[in-house]
C-alpha cells in the first residue's frame, strides 16, 4: 500500500486550484440512475470514491466514460436493482443508490453499509423516510430490502439533518409524481448542487421560506449536463495547510462563502486572509497563532470534515483550545498520531483539549480516515524532519493528486510503495 514521505519545515507558497466536490459528485453520479437519457458531469475529481461509484453504476447496468474530468453516463440495457456487498463495503455513500432504485423499480436490495472508522453511521433516517414514501423496509442477512406497491408523496421530518438521508430521499421523491416536503434537512452546499441537477432533469425542487425542501416529482426525468460545485472541504484543507506552515498561498476556484465560519475563526486566530469572489489568499504572518475553540455542527456550522485539519493548526497555537466533535462519535483517530509527532492533545468523549506546542517532530504515523490523513500531512509539513504516513489510500479517497498540489506549493511529499519501490 502507498505511503507518503513528507519533508518538514516547509512554508507553502503559490497558487492551488480547487477540484470539484467529492461530496457533491458522488450523489449526483448516483442521480444518473433516475433516467435512461445521457448524463454528463464536468469537474469530476479523479478520486478513489469516484472510481468506486462508477464501478457501482456499471454493476447496475449503466455505461460510464470518464475522461479529463468529465463523466458521461448512458443507458446500456435494463438496470439491475441490487448491489454486491463487495462494492458497498468500500464506500458508505453507495447506499445513496437506494432512493433512485426504489423510485424506478419499487424494490431494491442494498447491503447495509457497515460502520466505519468514524462510528456506527446507521441509516435509520433514510429508511424511515422511505417508509413515509410508501415503502416496506426490512433488513435481513446484512441487506436492506425495500419494496412498495405504490410510492406516494409525503411530508417527512428528519430527526437529524443527515446529509445522505436528505440526498437519498430527494432523489427518490424526484420520481414520485406530486409534492414531497422534507423538513429539518441538511443545508450543506452539496445538497443545493444535487437539487440543481434534479431541477435540470425535470423535477421541481425548491427550498421554501421555512427552509423545507419541496420536491415536485415527475413520472419521468430527462438527461442533464452539469458542472460540479467546488469542493469546500478541499478548500478548507489547503487554507489550513497554508496557515499552519505560515505560507503565502492563493486558493483558487473555490466558493469562500461555503467556508465562512472557518475563515472567521482563522482571522480570530490571527491568520491574515484576503477573501475574493472565487479565491482565498492566505498571507504569511509572524506573530503568535491564537487558540480558538471550535464545535462541529451541520452546515453552516463548522464542518466536521475540517475538524482534523483544524486540529493540525491548533496544535501549534500559543495556548490551549478545545475541539468539540458533535457529529460523529469517533472522529479523533488522528489525535494519537499527532501526539506521536509531539502535539499535546487530550481527548475525552466528544472533546479534544489541545495545548499548543512550539515544535513538532517528524514520525512514522498512520492515516485512519481521509480528513485525519490530511491532518497528518499538514503536521508533517510543519514538523522538524521527515514524516512517513501509512495508508495513504484514505487520503486518496477525498483529495485529488494531493502530493502534486502540495509539491507545486513548495512541499516535498513523495509517494512510495514499500512492497514495490526499493526506496
Ligand atoms: C456525509 O456523510 C459526508 N459524506 C461526510 O463526509 C460528512 O462527514 C457527513 O456528511 C457530515 O457532514 C458524503 O457526502 C459522501 P450524515 P453522511 O448522514 O451523509 C448520523 C468526508 O470526509 N446518522 O449527515 O453519512 C451519523 O451516524 C465524509 O468526506 C444517523 O444516525 O453523514 C452521523 O453521526 C466523511 N442515522 C450523523 O448522523 C442516519 O440515518 C451525520 O451523518 C444517518 C446519519
Amino acid at each position: 500500500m502507498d505511503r507518503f514521505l513528507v519533508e518538514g519545515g516547509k512554508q507553502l507558497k503559490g497558487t492551488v486550484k480547487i477540484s470539484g466536490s467529492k461530496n457533491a459528485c458522488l450523489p449526483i453520479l448516483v442521480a444518473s440512475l433516475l433516467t435512461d437519457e445521457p448524463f454528463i458531469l464536468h469537474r469530476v475529481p479523479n478520486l478513489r470514491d469516484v472510481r468506486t461509484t462508477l464501478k457501482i453504476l456499471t454493476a447496475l447496468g449503466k455505461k460510464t466514460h470518464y475522461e479529463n474530468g468529465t463523466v458521461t453516463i448512458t443507458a446500456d440495457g435494463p438496470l439491475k436493482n441490487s448491489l454486491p456487498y463487495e462494492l458497498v463495503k468500500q464506500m458508505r455513500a453507495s447506499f445513496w443508490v437506494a432512493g433512485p432504485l426504489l423510485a424506478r423499480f419499487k424494490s431494491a436490495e442494498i447491503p447495509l453499509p457497515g460502520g466505519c472508522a468514524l462510528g456506527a453511521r446507521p441509516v435509520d433516517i433514510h429508511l424511515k423516510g422511505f417508509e413515509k414514501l410508501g415503502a416496506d423496509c426490512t433488513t435481513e442477512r446484512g441487506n436492506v430490502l425495500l419494496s412498495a406497491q405504490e410510492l406516494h408523496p409525503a411530508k417527512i421530518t428528519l430527526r437529524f439533518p443527515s446529509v445522505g438521508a436528505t440526498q437519498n430521499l430527494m432523489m427518490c421523491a424526484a420520481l414520485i409524481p406530486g409534492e414531497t416536503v422534507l423538513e429539518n434537512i441538511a443545508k450543506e452546499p452539496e445538497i443545493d448542487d444535487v437539487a440543481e441537477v434534479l431541477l435540470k432533469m425535470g423535477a421541481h425542487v425548491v427550498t421554501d421560506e421555512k427552509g423545507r425542501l419541496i420536491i415536485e416529482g415527475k413520472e419521468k426525468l430527462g438527461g442533464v449536463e452539469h458542472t460540479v460545485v467546488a469542493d469546500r472541504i478541499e478548500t478548507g484543507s489547503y487554507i489550513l495547510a497554508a496557515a499552519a506552515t505560515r505560507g503565502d498561498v492563493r486558493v483558487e476556484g473555490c466558493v469562500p462563502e461555503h467556508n465562512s465560519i472557518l475563515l472567521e475563526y482563522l482571522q480570530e486566530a490571527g491568520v491574515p486572509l484576503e477573501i475574493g469572489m472565487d479565491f482565498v489568499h492566505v498571507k504569511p504572518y509572524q506573530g503568535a497563532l491564537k487558540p480558538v475553540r471550535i464545535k462541529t455542527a451541520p452546515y453552516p456550522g463548522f464542518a466536521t470534515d475540517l475538524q482534523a485539519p483544524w486540529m493540525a493548526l491548533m496544535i501549534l497555537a500559543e495556548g490551549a483550545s478545545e475541539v468539540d466533535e458533535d457529529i460523529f462519535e469517533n472522529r479523533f483517530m488522528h489525535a494519537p498520531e499527532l501526539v506521536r509527532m509531539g502535539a499535546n492533545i487530550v481527548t475525552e468523549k466528544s472533546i479534544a483539549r489541545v495545548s499548543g506546542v512550539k515544535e513538532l517532530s517528524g514520525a512514522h504515523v498512520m492515516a485512519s480516515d481521509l480528513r485525519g490523513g490530511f491532518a497528518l500531512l499538514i503536521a508533517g509539513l510543519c514538523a522538524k524532519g521527515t514524516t512517513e504516513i501509512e495508508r495513504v489510500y484514505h487520503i486518496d479517497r477525498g483529495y485529488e493528486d494531493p502530493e502534486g498540489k502540495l509539491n507545486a506549493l513548495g512541499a516535498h511529499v513523495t509517494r512510495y510503495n514499500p512492497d514495490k519501490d526499493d526506496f
Side-chain angles (χ1 to χ4, degrees):
M1 286 193 264
D2 285 0
R3 296 182 185 182
F4 277 152
L5 280 177
V6 186
E7 230 176 85
K10 299 288 176 194
Q11 278 192 324
L12 299 180
K13 281 190 175 42
T15 299
V16 61
K17 276 208 174 320
I18 294 303
S19 302
S21 162
K22 163 178 96 78
N23 290 349
C25 75
L26 297 185
I28 292 172
L29 287 169
V30 167
S32 66
L33 294 169
L34 292 165
T35 180
D36 288 332
E37 292 180 21
F39 193 101
I40 301 169
L41 196 57
H42 301 294
R43 197 182 185 183
V44 178
N46 183 12
L47 303 171
R48 206 161 143 255
D49 279 5
V50 165
R51 296 190 292 274
T52 302
T53 303
L54 294 180
K55 278 189 216 151
I56 286 168
L57 294 173
T58 308
L60 289 170
K62 284 287 189 180
K63 192 160 180 304
T64 68
H65 179 72
Y66 181 28
E67 197 173 354
N68 300 331
T70 292
V71 170
T72 306
I73 301 169
T74 49
D76 187 25
L79 282 181
K80 301 184 184 71
N81 71 340
S82 63
L83 256 190
Y85 175 66
E86 269 319 297
L87 286 170
V88 173
K89 76 176 186 183
Q90 291 177 36
M91 186 185 69
R92 168 184 167 71
S94 41
F95 193 71
W96 283 211
V97 304
L101 294 181
L102 174 63
R104 288 203 67 174
F105 300 101
K106 307 284 185 295
S107 80
E109 181 173 340
I110 321 280
L112 257 182
C116 74
L118 306 183
R121 299 187 75 179
V123 288
D124 59 298
I125 302 171
H126 301 240
L127 301 183
K128 281 238 171 12
F130 291 141
E131 285 171 347
K132 283 277 179 74
L133 292 168
D136 292 321
C137 301
T138 50
T139 48
E140 69 181 45
R141 298 167 48 76
N143 289 325
V144 173
L145 307 175
L146 300 169
S147 64
Q149 291 307 323
E150 267 314 302
L151 291 169
H152 52 72
K155 182 174 169 306
I156 303 168
T157 304
L158 280 67
R159 73 169 171 79
F160 175 86
S162 151
V163 171
T166 303
Q167 291 164 340
N168 223 338
L169 295 170
M170 267 166 90
M171 292 193 278
C172 188
L175 259 186
I176 302 174
E179 185 177 276
T180 291
V181 179
L182 299 184
E183 206 163 34
N184 192 29
I185 51 162
K187 296 184 171 52
E188 276 68 2
E190 295 77 45
I191 306 275
D192 299 337
D193 221 24
V194 174
E196 200 182 319
V197 166
L198 294 174
L199 209 59
K200 289 180 180 175
M201 294 174 77
H204 193 63
V205 185
V206 288
T207 307
D208 72 3
E209 67 293 341
K210 290 186 194 141
R212 303 178 307 172
L213 210 55
I214 317 288
I215 301 127
E216 188 64 46
K218 294 289 186 302
E219 286 285 346
K220 204 169 162 342
L221 293 174
V224 65
E225 182 160 6
H226 181 75
T227 299
V228 179
V229 69
D231 191 316
R232 66 189 165 97
I233 305 302
E234 187 194 29
T235 301
S237 302
Y238 281 96
I239 288 171
L240 285 160
T245 60
R246 295 175 178 256
D248 184 349
V249 176
R250 191 180 159 97
V251 179
E252 287 194 340
C254 61
V255 183
E257 74 182 74
H258 289 168
N259 291 101
S260 43
I261 195 160
L262 169 71
L263 301 180
E264 205 178 295
Y265 285 172
L266 279 171
Q267 288 169 314
E268 206 181 302
V271 178
L273 301 172
E274 183 197 340
I275 302 169
M277 282 299 287
D278 63 353
F279 72 89
V280 172
H281 190 158
V282 183
K283 306 266 177 108
Y285 59 100
Q286 306 306 326
L289 187 71
K290 298 186 202 76
V292 172
R293 180 185 190 285
I294 64 139
K295 177 178 174 147
T296 64
Y299 189 87
F302 195 97
T304 172
D305 294 348
L306 288 174
Q307 176 258 107
W310 173 266
M311 193 184 284
L313 175 74
M314 282 294 109
I315 56 180
L316 290 164
E318 200 166 284
S321 64
E322 272 189 3
V323 173
D324 187 349
E325 172 53 62
D326 261 27
I327 302 288
F328 288 104
E329 63 264 32
N330 180 30
R331 200 167 194 174
F332 287 144
M333 285 83 56
H334 46 283
E337 299 303 300
L338 293 170
V339 167
R340 298 183 61 244
M341 297 177 71
N344 181 342
I345 308 166
V346 177
T347 59
E348 191 190 344
K349 295 200 178 71
S350 76
I351 306 272
R353 287 184 182 77
V354 182
S355 305
V357 294
K358 285 240 174 305
E359 191 174 76
L360 297 170
S361 54
H364 194 143
V365 292
M366 185 151 62
S368 39
D369 71 281
L370 62 166
R371 310 304 175 183
F374 200 89
L376 297 177
L377 261 174
I378 295 176
L381 292 169
C382 302
K384 199 162 176 305
T386 305
T387 296
E388 178 158 354
I389 304 176
E390 290 197 21
R391 300 192 180 175
V392 161
Y393 63 85
H394 284 295
I395 301 173
D396 291 333
R397 290 191 58 181
Y399 292 92
E400 186 173 43
D401 187 19
E403 71 270 34
K405 290 191 177 188
L406 287 170
N407 290 339
L409 292 172
H412 191 175
V413 178
T414 313
R415 180 188 291 260
Y416 87 105
N417 181 332
D419 310 327
K420 286 190 206 137
D421 310 330
D422 45 359
F423 217 75

